[in-house]
Amino acid sequence: MYKVFINQHFISFSNAIEPSKNTTNVIENDVEVILEHFHSLQNENNPEVNGIHFICKNPEKVFKNFKKVFKHIKAAGGMVFNQKEELLLIFRNGKWDLPKGKLEKKEKKKKAAIREVEEECGVFGLSITRKLMKTYHIYSLKNELIFKTTHWYRMETCYNNGLTPQTEEGIEKVIWANEKEISKALENTYDNISLLLRKYTK
């Protein structure tokens, strides 16, 4: 299933019904019609509806055609664990988040993920242990809708010096979070980050 977050809502694509009381299931393969639903959801203030799930014959094809409508940005980031199995979290714009950022021109995804963690958190000695899922979200920038794909990697480090938040990027705090602190962070984070944390932490 492909799931795209838009503010507090989402749209998703698969070939099966999504059993959720807050999700509207729609059988649809036409991207133009899907875009109409998308724009309607964007302006929706109904708390009863979190998202729209599109049931498609070929979800991958429909998802790719939908993505083509927008300007596309690629990003990469890391779920970084130390020797205590604590997770590196940043606090920015009033929410808990994971370090990530846009790929530079011709930059490899793994290299970008490590660079972003180093720059945003001041953590070094990083090694990638495996590739995780991709997340997708749409946001508005200068009256243009941007489709952002973020590639995530699990990383480990023995680094135990001080953490340095990249304040020029709006990062207020960087912490190593234990299991209890991760659970608390889930109460105040973005939906795509919540998806990652719930999938890859205990």
Side-chain angles (χ1 to χ4, degrees):
M1 182 172 69
Y2 300 91
K3 196 168 192 177
V4 185
F5 294 98
I6 315 103
N7 297 323
Q8 302 303 312
H9 301 293
F10 69 86
I11 61 173
S12 56
F13 305 83
S14 83
N15 56 9
I17 291 174
E18 175 69 11
S20 172
K21 64 179 181 180
N22 293 322
T23 302
T24 300
N25 284 274
V26 178
I27 300 173
E28 189 56 67
N29 294 282
D30 188 325
V31 171
E32 291 299 322
V33 176
I34 289 172
L35 281 168
E36 291 177 12
H37 283 287
F38 162 74
H39 290 302
S40 174
L41 184 65
Q42 254 192 310
N43 302 316
E44 181 64 69
N45 290 318
N46 183 0
E48 300 293 322
V49 179
N50 282 346
I52 302 174
H53 178 66
F54 296 102
I55 305 160
C56 316
K57 290 182 180 178
N58 188 335
E60 182 179 8
K61 181 180 178 181
V62 174
F63 169 74
K64 285 182 177 179
N65 288 335
F66 174 79
K67 184 170 66 172
K68 286 178 184 177
V69 174
F70 307 92
K71 179 180 179 180
H72 187 214
I73 287 177
K74 292 182 180 180
M79 290 188 69
V80 184
F81 293 87
N82 63 14
Q83 290 179 301
K84 297 178 183 178
E85 282 298 304
E86 295 170 323
L87 175 66
L88 189 67
L89 291 178
I90 64 175
F91 192 76
R92 172 166 49 191
N93 297 328
K95 290 185 179 288
W96 290 104
D97 203 348
L98 293 169
K100 63 186 181 302
K102 292 187 291 185
L103 272 66
E104 296 178 352
K105 190 174 181 179
K106 296 184 179 180
E107 187 177 29
K108 300 294 185 182
K109 294 188 288 289
K110 289 183 178 180
K111 183 178 179 181
I114 289 174
R115 175 182 57 76
E116 287 292 338
V117 173
E118 291 176 344
E119 291 177 353
E120 293 194 343
C121 305
V123 173
F124 300 93
L126 299 160
S127 60
I128 291 176
T129 56
R130 67 183 174 115
K131 184 175 182 179
L132 305 177
M133 66 188 295
K134 290 181 279 189
T135 58
Y136 310 99
H137 77 276
I138 295 172
Y139 63 96
S140 180
L141 181 65
K142 297 179 180 177
N143 296 318
E144 182 180 19
L145 289 174
I146 309 295
F147 189 107
K148 187 175 184 178
T149 300
T150 304
H151 300 260
W152 293 98
Y153 298 89
R154 191 188 193 281
M155 303 180 193
E156 294 179 355
T157 182
C158 296
Y159 185 84
N160 57 12
N161 292 334
L163 303 173
T164 308
Q166 191 179 21
T167 53
E168 60 267 33
E169 288 294 324
I171 301 173
E172 298 174 41
K173 288 188 286 187
V174 181
I175 66 166
W176 289 113
N178 59 30
E179 190 174 336
K180 184 178 179 180
E181 290 165 327
I182 292 170
S183 295
K184 186 68 176 176
L186 280 166
E187 299 173 9
N188 182 31
T189 189
Y190 300 100
D191 289 337
N192 57 339
I193 300 301
S194 176
L195 183 67
L196 274 164
L197 295 181
R198 293 181 191 280
K199 185 176 177 67
Y200 295 112
T201 60
K202 293 179 182 179

